[in-house]
Amino acid sequence: MRTLPVLIWCGLLENDFYVLEDNLRTPSGVSYMLENRKTMMRLFPELFANHTVEPVEHYPQVLLDTLREAAPLHVSDPTIVVMTPGAYNSAYFEHAFLASQMGVGGWLKAGFVRASAKGLHVHHSRTATSACNLSPGDDDFLDPLAFRPDSALGVPGLLEAYCSGNVALANGVGTGVADDKSTYLYVPEMIRFILAKRRCYRMCRRGV
């Protein structure tokens, strides 16, 4: 094995794929993957003509179906919304893109929505019963009535609506623990425990 220079912290010497990081809480980067596929198909059509490439354009529909299934059991026709802190958030393109691709009526940000035990009430829409929290922000900012009172990004009363069983939260409170870098080493075991499957690619070895 070659000796790596001191300044190189991570070196892959094999011709293989490795997982460097896991985003278990939010589908971060999905929109860029979808846009990249469209660009690749325009620039390299022969690549897709000569090889069997799995399609990805159905992802927004799969996400929408998943959110509908996650709605409270007593709701037969849920309203799906995408929560976002707004245009100044680093992942705002992702929020707006996925909301548009799913055909959701609009995406939410603080100031345009209020919450009660009955659900989320959007100023220009009806009561929402399933919310997709795509923001990578901390839970502390999710609801100023339950967490940080100085939060201007969250929805007041959201936790009450969630605890009342009238609103479902994808990537809800507490799921961020799986995104912590200290849990990276345990992701394969989490996959085996929850999905009864093994991950496809190898991981870089890290210490905790």
Side-chain angles (χ1 to χ4, degrees):
M1 180 178 293
R2 299 198 309 268
T3 301
L4 297 176
V6 176
L7 295 180
I8 297 181
W9 292 3
C10 178
L12 303 180
L13 303 180
E14 303 174 38
N15 295 323
D16 202 351
F17 287 101
Y18 281 80
V19 176
L20 300 179
E21 183 183 34
D22 285 294
N23 290 321
L24 302 183
R25 175 171 52 167
T26 61
S28 179
V30 167
S31 60
Y32 304 103
M33 177 267 293
L34 296 173
E35 291 290 86
N36 179 67
R37 175 59 65 86
K38 291 180 181 179
T39 303
M40 289 284 291
M41 293 181 70
R42 288 197 300 266
L43 296 178
F44 305 101
E46 68 281 357
L47 178 67
F48 295 87
N50 298 330
H51 300 277
T52 303
V53 182
E54 291 290 337
V56 297
E57 61 272 8
H58 63 293
Y59 178 89
Q61 184 60 50
V62 173
L63 178 59
L64 180 61
D65 293 341
T66 302
L67 294 175
R68 290 187 180 279
E69 291 178 3
L73 296 178
H74 63 277
V75 178
S76 59
D77 185 23
T79 299
I80 310 299
V81 296
V82 174
M83 299 177 62
T84 175
Y88 294 103
N89 185 269
S90 61
Y92 180 70
F93 170 77
E94 187 107 61
H95 307 160
F97 178 85
L98 287 178
S100 174
Q101 292 298 305
M102 287 191 295
V104 175
W107 46 92
L108 305 180
K109 62 180 179 179
F112 287 89
V113 61
R114 59 186 176 86
S116 68
K118 295 182 179 180
L120 299 179
H121 305 276
V122 190
H123 287 190
H124 61 277
S125 180
R126 59 195 179 99
T127 301
T129 52
S130 186
C132 178
N133 178 24
L134 296 179
S135 173
D138 295 332
D139 292 337
D140 291 347
F141 297 92
L142 198 59
D143 182 348
L145 298 183
F147 302 110
R148 289 188 53 157
D150 60 339
S151 173
L153 303 177
V155 178
L158 176 61
L159 194 63
E160 179 187 5
Y162 174 69
C163 292
S164 298
N166 292 319
V167 170
L169 279 178
N171 308 315
V173 179
T175 56
V177 66
D179 263 355
D180 193 280
K181 298 301 181 288
S182 64
T183 64
Y184 173 82
L185 290 176
Y186 308 102
V187 170
E189 185 59 33
M190 293 165 62
I191 295 175
R192 283 193 291 267
F193 180 79
I194 298 174
L195 301 177
K197 296 180 180 180
R198 299 184 63 182
R199 70 179 312 148
C200 301
Y201 301 119
R202 287 188 282 179
M203 300 171 58
C204 288
R205 298 182 60 183
R206 293 183 183 179
V208 177

